[in-house]
Amino acid sequence: MRRVAVFAKVLIAFVLGASVAVGQQPFPVTSTVNESSIAGRQVALDSRGKLLPWPMPADTGYSYSSYFLSQWTILWDQYNRQRLPYFFCCFDFDRTTFEIMPDLHYVNSTGYLRAMMQGFVERLYPYAGDPHTLEFLQNFVDYELENGLTPEGYAWAQVPYPSANPGSRRYTGWSEHGEDFVEPHVVGEDGYGYLRLYEITGNTKYLRAAIRCADALAKNFKSGDEHNSPWPYRCFARDGRLDGGKGMFPYSANVVEPIMLFDELIRLDQGDIAGYKKVREGAWAWLMKYPMQNNVWVGYFEDVKGSMDNMNQVIPLEFARYVLLHPEKDADWREHSRKLIEWVKTTPKWPKYVVHGATVTTEQGNGKEFCCNLPNQCCDSHSSRLAAVEALYYAKTGDAAYKEAAYRTYNWVTYFQGLSEFAHAPFSTQWWFTDEFADGPRRMLDAFWAVPEWAPTDESHLLGSLSAVTKIAYGRGSVTYSTFDDESTDVLRLDFVPDAITVGGKAISRRKELTEQGYTFDDSTHALYIRHTTSRDVDIQGKSDRVPPCYITFDDPHVPAGTPLVGQYPSGVIDWGKGDWEIGTPHGKFATFNLALVDPKARRADFHFYVPLIFSGIDVYNDGDTDATLVVRSPEIRETSFTIKPKELRRLRTGWRDPSSSVTFEIANGEALRFDNLAYIHP
């Protein structure tokens, strides 16, 4: 989602067939663009012609989760192979091999990429239960703390720089705007990310980093007015000056990020509480008096010059999201959040598109120029944010119109998962780490938190909590987890019916409403809401014949495309034999690396487990024009047969309960089959 200093002057009128008179804006505010593909992927529609998700239209949970899980597998793969600390803003990838190539020539995004990535992992970890997510995040943040802080003794001391010069491994800002500067709203955003990471891990170095950010914000606070915000958009780090640098600017409407940091430190009773309260009240008063009245939502992105006319949707929507999650902070949360949603959807500052019923918003604009890209190429992260806020508004108010709007927009976002050859950043074939691999996924995870019935039906997941989740384990008919706070309300969807739920080892009761400690459970959707007030430790038990499987994604890490799998992969799990299988590039409805037959016409192929395991199943995509048949057998277990229709993606489950030494696939009409997400269970 990287933005550029000069906006895209896209001839939307020409593209959409509309005429534009001299003196009018060069794009319509809202246009209907019912194209047959999105990001190069064929659309799926329901009986009313409304957009369904990709790649499995009939399975919302699979499609939504594969969006953020595919982005995670790419991040984890790069972490393990190229060891990128993501001081790079952008990357391209080879359209044949799909190998990532970082861009050394454009400004490096730093500050809010870390904050967005923290938000993604904070939600991904409890959903997936994968400790690698926390390993990745800590490496990510530690690099910034070691290479991206301002010196001691500055007016803005020991806080993160917002960006770095192209290719630089150390951050001091981007010379296009000046040298040695900070963006205070990023200090707030990063500081909040540090604080939440402390809550997840218990590592006090992240708490200390958060307090340094809050102290700098408190020290440099000013009351502000119509033309000057409490903190400037950009200023010199040494002394806070605005003069002498072409990129410095006095106004940013983004004070909600510092407010979030102050609120959380005040709640935890950490740092200068009295000072934080005073500054927080001043920032809130300014927000209510100016941006909430005049809608001057400017001053967010690190590579954009300061302007009072270039509006963006990030600031108003992130503020709306905050008060929806924390209505106690704003007595007018309902009115304010609805007002901001509707402003983003109707402002003439940038174009919006309606694509088969899905509202797609671009990023920013001034009414004549905007960023970024033509419809169906952009902007998945920003549309994901709009959908998230609408979904949360529905969850809070019950207004079903917002649920429907969120569903259709989220469906559009799913078409951008993985590495699509036909979707990219503006003016190039690049992608941005902040957008595709942090911002968009974190807001897709909000979908399940707001509407649990959208989550997968055959899996158990913790979908959302206001408190950070510090540990979690999934088992057969069980979920056991801990939160940072004793008091929290947590949202789950289970693949079993709970028989007993304990908090701190003591049973809690099923209730109609959560006015006190207890839980509610929807027997039809299996949505579970738990309110706990006496302990952070929660244990859920029930009867189930499903054991959460392990997955081989062929991205963890992947080997080069076309490489035959010979011997073990992953180490100590499967022996692939002498080369019947190979690594396939993203193809069809598989958005990441996958498994293919070396000889597409082969009628038989097998693999062996190093230690007998239970083969649970695999995802199969048929890119052919005829039905394909797959018979799965094992020496120890009777065979199971499946038919995969043309262009169909199916998640196959064997139902096997006993371990196998080897698995054989017998295939008919399978020349166009691809496989992914091989699932197995330890007996």
Side-chain angles (χ1 to χ4, degrees), residues 217 221-224 229-231 252-260 262-263 275-292 319:
L217 286 162
F221 172 80
K222 296 179 180 178
S223 57
S229 52
W231 300 280
S252 168
N254 189 27
V255 298
V256 69
E257 310 283 4
I259 286 172
M260 290 166 59
F262 288 133
D263 281 348
Y276 298 164
K277 287 181 177 178
K278 182 178 180 180
V279 172
R280 192 266 186 208
E281 290 171 2
W284 183 271
W286 179 87
L287 179 64
M288 293 297 107
K289 184 175 182 179
Y290 295 108
M292 283 301 299
F319 174 70

Side-chain angles (χ1 to χ4, degrees), residues 284-285 287-293 295 297 315-324 326-327 329-344 389 393 397 402:
W284 183 271
L287 179 64
M288 293 297 107
K289 184 175 182 179
Y290 295 108
M292 283 301 299
Q293 301 302 319
N295 284 322
W297 302 106
I315 303 172
L317 288 181
E318 288 298 318
F319 174 70
R321 181 181 182 277
Y322 185 61
V323 298
L324 284 168
H326 300 275
K329 305 292 184 184
D330 183 5
D332 298 317
W333 62 267
R334 182 190 299 259
E335 175 189 350
H336 286 162
S337 57
R338 184 177 63 247
K339 171 187 173 182
L340 293 174
I341 292 169
E342 297 309 315
W343 181 81
V344 166
V389 177
Y393 186 86
T397 66
Y402 286 89

Side-chain angles (χ1 to χ4, degrees), residues 59-73:
D59 193 331
T60 300
Y62 182 99
S63 298
Y64 283 18
S65 62
S66 68
Y67 171 82
F68 56 76
L69 291 175
S70 67
Q71 310 312 82
W72 160 246
T73 61

Side-chain angles (χ1 to χ4, degrees), residues 202-214:
N203 191 327
T204 55
K205 75 175 178 181
Y206 302 125
L207 173 61
R208 293 193 297 272
I211 290 173
R212 289 196 299 267
C213 291

Side-chain angles (χ1 to χ4, degrees), residues 137-158:
L137 179 62
Q138 290 181 86
N139 173 273
F140 204 63
V141 172
D142 288 350
Y143 186 91
E144 180 182 62
L145 293 177
E146 294 167 6
N147 295 278
L149 299 186
T150 59
E152 295 182 4
Y154 273 24
W156 290 89
Q158 291 289 279

